[in-house]
Amino acid sequence: MIEQLLAEHKLNQNKITTLLSSLAVKGVNYADLYFQHSISESWLLEDGIVKSATHHISHGVGTRAVKGEQTGFAYSDDLNAKAIQQAINFAKGISGQQQTQKVQTFQTAPHPAKYNGISPLNSLTSQEKVDMLKQIDTLARKEPKVKQVSASLSGAYTEVLIASTDGVYQKDYRPMVRVSVSVIVEHNGRVENASSGGGGRYDYRYFIDHNFTEIYAKEAVRQALVALEAQDTPAGTMPVILGPGWPGVLLHEAIGHGLEGDFNRRGTSVFTGKIGEQVASEKCTIVDNGTLANRRGSLTIDDEGTPTQNTTLIENGILKGYLFDKLNAGLMGVKSTGNARRESYAHIPMPRMTNTYMLNGTDNLEDMITSVDDGIYAVNFDGGQVDITSGKFVFSANEAYLIKNGKITHPIKGATLIGSGDEVLKKISMVANDLKLDSGVGVCGKDGQSVPVGVGQPSLKIDQLTVGGTSLTP
């Protein structure tokens, strides 16, 4: 679609080169044009009835000029050359010059794709999409305690073309799908809710071929039934064991953001200036890997046209590096790690995570449990908050269990984990060999922009962590 769209506006490679040259005036260190065409849809079923179905098409171009630490940016929803030139004139205003500079010869060879670049929206008919959601509803309602069910299906297909003054001229074709299910259960007057879901850079048949409709429905019901049995959480400082997979969102928030290049260039991260230092237990090796096939956070190229890579952030507890886009990498005298991301053409790129996870250790979960006299085992999280400068975080566990005398006892509710990312890393004493990635539901927010991400980890033990709860008795 993007080739057709550009052709309709007579925007061939030569014309784009001319526009880019107009943007790259004297005094500008770097400039780029980011063309985008996106189609998205969503379907929502509530209590067996289709409540909404949406379809959205958008396209436009972002124009950016970088001068030192300054960025001039403007975008246009219209792809005719006159509208783009108006955006360019605004963006290059940071220079105050009109004399253009030479643009490097474009490198147009494509990079190996990390996903199938075909739109997922037509992989099922409208009726098949509704039938999938109704099947989820039916499966969830097999449990008599289920009173309400909500199921949604969403898909998107985005095509981008990136042209920049350092020779990038790259296209990418990005599919994305997701299924979500939420249930409300009731028993003896007590009401609880839970949700499940997943997705990635697939088409809709991925959910059918792998029986995920049943898996997601059963998981949502399972979590809700566990919540019905949950008792008050003891408050205090105690050992905490985190389960594999989605609990990696704690690493993402409490540690990952602090390793993004812009925070470290400005000196506002708790990890600033600590490359080569021991910042975590030697049990910890953490990577950000944008190259995993079909994962929600993966990209063939980032939003500056740089191929994504597997970046080691922490190795055996030693801080090895940060995540960079071109702007922050250039200012710090290093190369981009392929982590420039933007929500759309109407936003500037910034260093962001892709799929961030801890690698396997050599311990096992059973030994972790037996090593704890009084503590908790946190399996799933709702969400949390983190302060990048201090590293302090607060996270809510929506599925957790009390550990007593080396055994998992009963589920608990209202567990809140409180700590500091850099301190928690040093208190990790055991890391299992059961690494899991999340099911494909992660969305990361930063400076008002949201992008899809992935998280993961093996089970791990934190020796001491503050737990906020609803009971003072451990």
Side-chain angles (χ1 to χ4, degrees):
M1 288 298 299
I2 197 162
E3 287 89 351
Q4 178 181 335
L5 191 62
L6 294 175
E8 289 175 359
H9 292 86
K10 300 179 181 179
L11 293 174
N12 55 27
Q13 186 171 323
N14 289 335
K15 181 60 178 177
I16 290 172
T17 302
T18 300
L19 291 169
L20 187 60
S21 297
S22 175
L23 181 59
V25 293
K26 188 175 181 180
V28 168
N29 307 117
Y30 170 87
D32 61 15
L33 298 172
Y34 183 89
F35 296 90
Q36 178 183 348
H37 180 271
S38 297
I39 307 174
S40 61
E41 68 173 3
S42 64
W43 299 77
L44 174 63
L45 187 86
E46 289 185 348
D47 294 327
I49 301 172
V50 176
K51 288 296 181 71
S52 67
T54 66
H55 190 271
H56 183 68
I57 299 175
S58 66
H59 62 254
V61 57
T63 68
R64 180 174 61 139
V66 176
K67 178 184 178 183
E69 296 185 14
Q70 296 178 298
T71 296
F73 177 78
Y75 69 92
S76 172
D77 298 319
D78 193 338
L79 290 184
N80 72 68
K82 183 178 179 181
I84 296 174
Q85 188 63 57
Q86 289 176 340
I88 286 173
N89 292 341
F90 184 89
K92 69 182 182 182
I94 62 167
S95 171
Q97 303 287 330
Q98 293 299 322
Q99 183 180 350
T100 61
Q101 302 179 92
K102 186 178 180 181
V103 176
Q104 289 188 26
T105 302
F106 286 140
Q107 302 296 318
T108 58
H111 300 287
K114 306 300 186 296
Y115 31 76
N116 189 339
I118 299 175
S119 173
L121 274 63
N122 297 323
S123 57
L124 294 179
T125 65
S126 295
Q127 186 59 53
E128 287 173 325
K129 295 168 188 175
V130 173
D131 289 344
M132 181 193 295
L133 296 178
K134 287 185 175 180
Q135 182 186 28
I136 292 173
D137 182 89
T138 300
L139 289 167
R141 291 181 183 279
K142 288 183 177 181
E143 166 55 53
K145 295 184 179 69
V146 170
K147 302 305 177 184
Q148 294 182 33
V149 180
S150 174
S152 65
L153 174 70
S154 61
Y157 182 62
T158 299
E159 301 181 356
V160 301
L161 167 63
I162 305 163
S164 63
T165 52
D166 58 358
V168 167
Y169 191 90
Q170 293 288 334
K171 298 172 185 175
D172 197 16
Y173 307 88
R174 303 170 175 174
M176 185 71 76
V177 292
R178 177 174 173 173
V179 165
S180 300
V181 53
S182 298
V183 300
I184 295 177
V185 296
E186 188 272 335
H187 182 64
N188 292 335
R190 182 168 173 175
V191 178
E192 298 289 348
N193 64 82
S195 61
S196 181
R201 297 194 182 277
Y202 305 94
D203 63 29
Y204 290 134
R205 292 203 170 272
Y206 165 77
F207 301 113
I208 297 173
D209 295 342
H210 294 83
N211 201 32
F212 280 121
T213 50
E214 181 175 0
I215 292 171
Y216 298 153
K218 288 183 176 180
E219 177 60 14
V221 172
R222 184 196 68 79
Q223 290 186 35
L225 295 178
V226 168
L228 281 176
E229 304 298 323
Q231 302 176 27
D232 288 342
T233 297
T237 300
M238 64 191 73
V240 173
I241 295 173
L242 303 182
W246 180 244
V249 70
L250 190 150
L251 294 176
H252 170 101
E253 294 289 354
I255 297 157
H257 278 297
L259 298 177
E260 291 170 338
D262 48 354
F263 296 125
N264 288 281
R265 176 179 63 80
R266 298 168 189 154
T268 58
S269 169
V270 69
F271 296 104
T272 298
K274 294 185 178 180
I275 298 292
E277 295 185 16
Q278 188 92 25
V279 298
S281 160
E282 63 182 13
K283 298 268 187 177
C284 299
T285 296
I286 300 172
V287 302
D288 183 87
N289 189 354
T291 71
L292 300 176
N294 304 316
R295 293 296 304 179
R296 181 172 172 83
S298 295
L299 291 168
T300 298
I301 55 173
D302 73 1
D303 290 329
E304 291 176 328
T306 305
T308 54
Q309 63 185 49
N310 185 5
T311 302
T312 300
L313 300 171
I314 296 174
E315 184 175 27
N316 299 326
I318 304 297
L319 181 59
K320 291 294 185 178
Y322 304 126
L323 301 175
F324 285 110
D325 59 347
K326 289 180 180 178
L327 185 154
N328 290 282
L331 291 171
M332 293 185 72
V334 296
K335 292 184 177 180
S336 170
T337 56
N339 286 89
R341 306 193 64 188
R342 61 170 96 200
E343 182 175 318
S344 75
Y345 66 89
H347 302 81
I348 61 171
M350 64 184 81
R352 306 287 299 271
M353 287 172 276
T354 55
N355 304 297
T356 310
Y357 53 95
M358 182 181 290
L359 300 189
N360 269 326
T362 57
D363 302 302
N364 64 70
L365 178 59
E366 291 76 15
D367 289 341
M368 292 182 197
I369 300 297
T370 57
S371 71
V372 175
D373 289 329
D374 293 291
I376 68 170
Y377 174 41
V379 180
N380 279 304
F381 288 96
D382 276 333
Q385 295 179 333
V386 62
D387 180 87
I388 302 300
T389 302
S390 66
K392 296 185 182 299
F393 64 82
V394 178
F395 268 84
S396 299
N398 65 337
E399 182 184 358
Y401 300 84
L402 187 69
I403 302 174
K404 200 75 172 174
N405 299 322
K407 295 182 178 180
I408 296 175
T409 59
H410 55 77
I412 53 179
K413 62 179 181 179
T416 302
L417 307 186
I418 305 166
S420 176
D422 57 331
E423 294 177 1
V424 166
L425 284 175
K426 296 174 182 177
K427 294 178 181 178
I428 295 174
S429 61
M430 302 178 78
V431 178
N433 58 355
D434 58 354
L435 170 64
K436 284 177 58 179
L437 300 178
D438 74 287
S439 61
V441 297
V443 177
C444 174
K446 178 180 176 181
D447 290 350
Q449 295 191 44
S450 296
V451 297
V453 295
V455 301
Q457 65 173 45
S459 300
L460 58 87
K461 178 186 176 184
I462 303 169
D463 283 338
Q464 293 291 316
L465 188 61
T466 300
V467 177
T470 52
S471 171
L472 295 177
T473 304

